[in-house]
Structure formats: C-alpha cells, structure tokens
Amino acid sequence: MKRIFIDTNIMLDLLGERDPFYEPIAKIATLAEKRKLVMVVSPISFATVNYFLSKFENSKIAREKLRKFKIIAEICSLDEQTIEKGLNSAIKDFEDALQYFSATESDCEMIITRNGKDFKKSLLPVMTADEYLKSLVGK
C-alpha cells in the first residue's frame, strides 16, 4: 500500500478546512479512510496543528479533530537520531528537516506539501495534493 507523508500545512489545511487547499487533501483523506493509501504524519505536525487549531477553535474541538484524524493517519516516530539528522541538515527550516527525515525513515514514497519549496533537496518525490490526485488519474 502506498505510504505518503503529509506535511504540517497540509494537515492544517485538512483539519482547519482551509480553502482553497481543503478539497484536494479531503479527497486524499477519503482514500486513506478507504485504506487505499497510508497517510503518515510527524508528531511535530500533530502538536503544531493542535496549537493553531486551538487559536481559532476551542481546544476541545481541536483535540477531537486530531483524535478522528489519528484513525486514518499513521504517526511516525521521532527519535534522537532523526532529531540529530534534522539539526545537522542543510534544510533551513528545522520542522521541515524533521518531517523530511521522518518521511524517509518511515518508508514513505513521497511527500505531500503545499509547495515544493519546503523540500527542495528531497530525495523523495514532492507533490502538492492537486498534483498527487492528477497522478492517480488513469491508474
């Protein structure tokens, strides 16, 4: 089964139902619900999304959304080696570095992000949610 890594912004787009980004990631989440793929996220994303959702909604609603999301997504591990790789990485944004190394160590096949700029030097394919959905057409 295909394993795709969902970055923090994409997770926030989904759980915060942020337009214009919501519809494509909602379609990908539906594929995960139907067990046609595995969405993988970092524990860093979980904490970050909880923080931002709690700013716009109450914390109880934010946590309920995270509980429901956890049913369809796999949370990868974040160990000391991954943190060390992130600290020593050429990737400028530390959160992006942690997500990138978490994705590679979780055997993900690609990273889904809002734009490819976040993971410029990725050895994994990087796509937007729209690009990913377009790649599925005809398969």
Side-chain angles (χ1 to χ4, degrees):
M1 187 176 314
K2 186 166 251 180
R3 297 171 58 79
I4 60 172
F5 190 88
I6 304 296
D7 87 343
T8 302
N9 285 327
I10 296 293
M11 188 177 164
L12 189 57
D13 294 340
L14 176 65
L15 298 182
E17 298 180 15
R18 297 191 324 179
D19 285 328
F21 309 105
Y22 174 73
E23 189 177 324
I25 190 57
K27 288 178 182 175
I28 292 172
T30 298
L31 294 173
E33 287 172 354
K34 293 179 179 178
R35 306 288 187 234
K36 296 186 183 255
L37 59 84
V38 176
M39 289 193 316
V40 180
V41 297
S42 164
I44 297 292
S45 297
F46 241 72
T48 302
V49 168
N50 179 66
Y51 172 79
F52 282 110
L53 287 178
S54 295
K55 293 280 186 191
F56 299 102
E57 304 172 346
N58 75 45
S59 59
K60 185 176 180 179
I61 292 172
R63 288 192 183 176
E64 187 56 35
K65 286 183 175 186
L66 289 170
R67 276 187 202 92
K68 289 178 181 176
F69 181 76
K70 192 174 178 296
I71 294 168
I72 63 167
E74 176 184 312
I75 303 169
C76 64
S77 63
L78 182 61
D79 59 19
E80 191 172 331
Q81 288 178 322
T82 305
I83 293 169
E84 195 63 34
K85 286 178 182 178
L87 288 170
N88 295 320
S89 170
I91 300 172
K92 290 181 184 179
D93 184 291
F94 182 57
E95 183 178 351
D96 286 347
L98 290 177
Q99 289 184 97
Y100 171 72
F101 290 108
S102 294
T104 57
E105 291 173 13
S106 298
D107 296 324
C108 291
E109 297 175 42
M110 69 179 46
I111 298 172
I112 304 295
T113 185
R114 195 176 295 148
N115 64 60
K117 295 176 191 171
D118 295 339
F119 300 96
K120 285 182 206 170
K121 297 179 181 181
S122 174
L123 298 177
L124 294 173
V126 178
M127 294 183 173
T128 65
D130 281 330
E131 290 169 339
Y132 179 69
L133 289 170
K134 287 177 185 169
S135 77
L136 296 178
V137 176
K139 288 187 178 182

